[in-house]
């Protein structure tokens, strides 16, 4: 079982728009649904779970129905942070029980909105993906699944083309990385369901909880595990700023031209 967990709970403050960025329309379709399309159309994905802002749950459910997104099993509310949101999705995928609410190990009580009929097995592969990364290539999804089968996890990345500098005080350069060894983190990040759910529960037991846990790879490494890279695609950007919207439009035009005329760069 291969499951896409798409989290789209951000408020999009850096976008400066009047509504959350995942609901901005690009070429007549909301960014979130450009993203969902990638997994709906991929033959290797069996199920999709989505988390979003509570006020938009009904809207997403309606769009799922209208768009006939048959792989979408459930739409639930987001957590207090990105990692809280991912945890809720993992728990939702692990146990489908419409009468349960789950009390988490820290100070957060998560309500699960559940409607599915049966549980997903522990060895299901889950692909954690940002709702505002709408241009991941189909072969990257496939490489993630194969990476989990081979190594137990797969972290999508892409080589950094520019030199990355580290500065603790945002003024003095503390370190300059070797560009040949530097990668940009992307999504999906993929794991066996049981492994990543267990990792989240261990992190939640710590007094500091999710502090500095920027992604699932960080969680695994904090617990002493190894994470393994798979190569992503350059167009797999996270839409965060207005400039990113224009970039995504350009990628969509490029894709359309390539499919229609066989054109490439």
């Amino acid at each position: 079982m291969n499951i896409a967990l798409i989290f789209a709970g951000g408020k999009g403050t850096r976008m400066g728009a009047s509504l959350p960025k995942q609901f901005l329309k690009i070429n007549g379709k909301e960014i979130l649904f450009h993203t969902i399309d990638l997994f709906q159309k991929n033959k290797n994905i069996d199920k999709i779970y989505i988390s979003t802002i509570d006020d938009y749950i009904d809207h997403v459910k309606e769009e799922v129905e209208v768009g006939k997104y048959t792989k979408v099993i459930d739409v639930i509310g987001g957590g207090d942070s990105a990692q809280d949101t991912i945890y809720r999705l993992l728990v939702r995928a692990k146990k489908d029980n419409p009468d349960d609410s789950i009390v988490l190990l820290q100070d957060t009580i998560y309500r699960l909105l559940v409607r599915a009929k049966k549980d997903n097995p522990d060895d299901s592969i889950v692909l954690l993906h940002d709702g505002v990364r709408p241009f991941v290539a189909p072969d990257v999804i496939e490489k993630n699944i194969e990476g989990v089968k081979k190594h137990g996890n797969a972290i999508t990345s892409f080589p950094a083309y520019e030199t990355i500098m580290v500065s603790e005080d945002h003024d003095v350069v503390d370190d300059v990385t070797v560009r040949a060894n530097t990668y940009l983190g992307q999504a999906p990040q993929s794991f066996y369901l049981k492994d990543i759910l267990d990792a989240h529960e261990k992190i939640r037991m710590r007094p500091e909880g999710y502090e500095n846990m920027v992604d699932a790879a960080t969680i695994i490494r904090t617990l002493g595990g190894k994470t393994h890279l798979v190569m992503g695609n350059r167009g797999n950007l996270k839409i965060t700023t207005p400039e990113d919207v224009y970039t995504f439009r350009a990628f969509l035009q490029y894709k359309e031209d390539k499919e229609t005329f066989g054109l490439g760069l």
Side-chain angles (χ1 to χ4, degrees), residues 214-232:
V214 296
D215 61 5
T218 307
I219 289 174
I220 296 297
R221 295 187 70 253
T222 298
L223 295 172
K226 291 183 178 180
T227 51
H228 299 267
L229 301 180
V230 295
M231 192 61 60

Side-chain angles (χ1 to χ4, degrees), residues 152-170:
N153 58 64
I155 310 301
T156 308
S157 60
F158 199 77
Y161 283 123
E162 298 189 32
T163 300
I164 296 176
M165 297 180 179
V166 179
S167 175
E168 294 288 341
D169 64 2
H170 310 292

Side-chain angles (χ1 to χ4, degrees), residues 3 9 47 53 96 111 134 150 230:
I3 305 168
K47 295 181 179 181
I53 302 167
D96 293 335
R111 292 177 298 109
K150 183 176 181 180
V230 295

Side-chain angles (χ1 to χ4, degrees), residues 250-265:
F251 275 121
L252 285 177
Q253 186 63 55
Y254 165 70
K255 181 180 179 182
E256 182 178 316
D257 290 346
K258 187 175 181 181
E259 291 175 350
T260 304
F261 304 110
L263 299 178
L265 294 179

Side-chain angles (χ1 to χ4, degrees), residues 39-57:
F39 296 92
Q40 173 69 31
K41 295 175 181 178
N42 192 291
K43 67 182 187 301
N44 296 294
I45 298 299
D46 302 301
K47 295 181 179 181
I48 301 170
Y49 294 80
I50 304 164
S51 70
T52 191
I53 302 167
D54 288 349
D55 290 345
Y56 283 83
I57 290 173

